[in-house]
Amino acid sequence: MENVIKCKHCNGKNFIKKGLRQTQNRGKIQVYRCLDCGKKFTNDEGFYRMRNNPEKITSAIDLYFSNLSSRKVRNYFRRHLEHNSSHVTVLDWARRYTLKVHNYVNKLQPKLSGQYYADETEIDRGKVNDKFWCCVDWETRFIVDTHYSLTSNIEEAKTFLEKVKQKGKPKYIQTDSAMFYPQAMRKVFSSHSYHTTYHGEPRVKHIVNNVHKTGRHNVRIETVFSKIKDRVDDFRGLKALWSAPILMAGIVLQHNYIEEHTTTGKVPCELANLKLETGQNRWLRLIRLASN
Ligand SMILES: [Zn+2]
């Protein structure tokens, strides 16, 4: 997946180089003239008109989602770089590029094992507790999908499972014994005690892990949740409702596409067969891919 240069006025791909333009923060950039519409353009690699260079912006995002608060990222820059950026700017970058990359990767087709673990957890947002729903594929540790809601009930469970279903048919989904899962599983996946349909196709199995009976928690998903919750504890920006789901999506991107999983030693997207050739600065490469 290369970053294809095209005219930003007409999407034309016929152009000639037309010298360099000096920018304040991104060095010299190539200017092109489009041979289809005649206008000049520069290649938008995702950082058009940003007042800081891409390396600084992407390291801020990476540090922030690796569990450094926006204030700590600001302080780090203050100690190491000439120009300071406020903690609000750091948060703005995190949100802006999370949305961009999220919209891009959402169209990709990860190859998953189909052994899913789904659960919901509370997100402490000051006076209220929101619900964060998460479904993890076991072999790849890829987060299949998530859902953010104010309460947990059958309707929200269905919305969550519908999103999961969009990504393909799993072999089974394991949940805890919360009341709303069996009904939501029947509605969305027609899960049933009969293991095949009338046509003999296997149904998506719903495995219920009843902690009170088995004495064991849903450990497989809890390791992912505890990592996510560690980060949320330091998310002061989550106090704003509009901001919370975006930043949660950023944590999911960091998990799926940026960091190597401690057990598998691989980034989940690699195990899910998504060859993004993301190189060393993975956020930078993802933003460029998303900007095509
Ligand atoms: Zn053009």
Side-chain angles (χ1 to χ4, degrees):
M1 292 187 218
E2 261 314 297
N3 193 316
V4 184
I5 300 169
K6 59 188 176 197
C7 169
K8 70 162 142 274
H9 308 289
C10 74
N11 286 330
K13 286 181 184 136
N14 301 305
F15 53 83
I16 49 166
K17 287 188 177 174
K18 201 78 184 114
L20 299 171
R21 180 191 295 161
Q22 181 66 47
T23 63
Q24 216 178 344
N25 305 292
R26 293 182 297 148
K28 283 185 177 145
I29 55 168
Q30 182 68 50
V31 180
Y32 302 94
R33 180 177 305 279
C34 174
L35 297 176
D36 297 326
C37 73
K39 289 181 182 156
K40 280 196 228 168
F41 67 94
T42 54
N43 186 19
D44 176 10
E45 290 193 309
F47 299 93
Y48 187 57
R49 300 234 160 120
M50 295 299 281
R51 284 184 294 127
N52 285 274
N53 68 52
E55 284 70 26
K56 179 176 175 186
I57 293 172
T58 48
S59 34
I61 297 170
D62 203 332
L63 287 169
Y64 178 69
F65 286 126
S66 326
N67 210 11
L68 218 54
S69 73
S70 51
R71 282 176 178 80
K72 284 181 186 161
V73 175
R74 172 202 63 196
N75 296 344
Y76 171 85
F77 283 153
R78 206 177 260 171
R79 294 193 298 271
H80 293 269
L81 299 173
E82 233 173 277
H83 301 285
N84 190 30
S85 302
S86 76
H87 74 279
V88 180
T89 305
V90 170
L91 261 181
D92 281 344
W93 293 338
R95 286 188 289 241
R96 173 190 185 122
Y97 288 106
T98 289
L99 283 174
K100 190 172 195 123
V101 172
H102 175 80
N103 289 336
Y104 168 73
V105 297
N106 228 9
K107 295 180 206 125
L108 304 175
Q109 297 282 326
K111 198 170 179 309
L112 305 172
S113 70
Q115 301 156 31
Y116 289 0
Y117 291 76
D119 206 350
E120 80 287 343
T121 190
E122 302 212 323
I123 300 295
D124 180 0
R125 202 161 47 78
K127 290 195 180 89
V128 290
N129 281 336
D130 296 342
K131 306 287 180 282
F132 177 71
W133 309 65
C134 185
C135 178
V136 180
D137 180 60
W138 180 243
E139 273 177 24
T140 57
R141 305 301 204 277
F142 193 88
I143 295 178
V144 185
D145 219 321
T146 61
H147 178 51
Y148 200 93
S149 65
L150 301 181
T151 53
S152 44
N153 54 34
I154 289 174
E155 283 315 306
E156 299 292 355
K158 273 157 59 183
T159 309
F160 166 53
L161 291 174
E162 282 292 349
K163 287 188 186 177
V164 170
K165 193 184 176 185
Q166 299 289 316
K167 301 285 160 78
K169 189 180 173 184
K171 293 189 185 93
Y172 64 79
I173 302 183
Q174 179 172 318
T175 66
D176 61 19
S177 55
M179 302 279 284
F180 38 76
Y181 282 123
Q183 196 176 335
M185 282 297 293
R186 275 198 298 277
K187 277 276 176 210
V188 177
F189 287 104
S190 4
S191 294
H192 202 279
S193 50
Y194 304 114
H195 294 319
T196 51
T197 65
Y198 296 121
H199 307 291
E201 289 163 17
R203 292 181 193 273
V204 176
K205 212 166 146 191
H206 180 208
I207 302 174
V208 178
N209 177 38
N210 189 332
V211 183
H212 298 296
K213 284 184 188 158
T214 63
R216 284 191 317 185
H217 282 276
N218 208 344
V219 185
R220 292 188 162 179
I221 189 154
E222 277 179 6
T223 53
V224 174
F225 269 147
S226 68
K227 192 174 104 181
I228 288 173
K229 288 190 96 160
D230 268 2
R231 278 163 202 185
V232 174
D233 283 344
D234 214 24
F235 263 29
R236 292 180 176 83
L238 283 177
K239 290 214 168 84
L241 177 58
W242 68 271
S243 190
I246 303 175
L247 294 174
M248 292 306 289
I251 297 181
V252 172
L253 290 176
Q254 185 82 10
H255 171 91
N256 277 350
Y257 294 94
I258 308 296
E259 289 178 6
E260 284 170 6
H261 191 274
T262 44
T263 316
T264 67
K266 295 250 195 272
V267 186
C269 72
E270 294 173 341
L271 289 177
N273 218 12
L274 295 174
K275 297 196 172 60
L276 297 167
E277 298 162 57
T278 33
Q280 201 184 15
N281 186 340
R282 300 182 71 93
W283 269 105
L284 182 65
R285 190 80 183 114
L286 278 173
I287 290 167
R288 290 198 166 142
L289 285 169
S291 304
N292 270 341

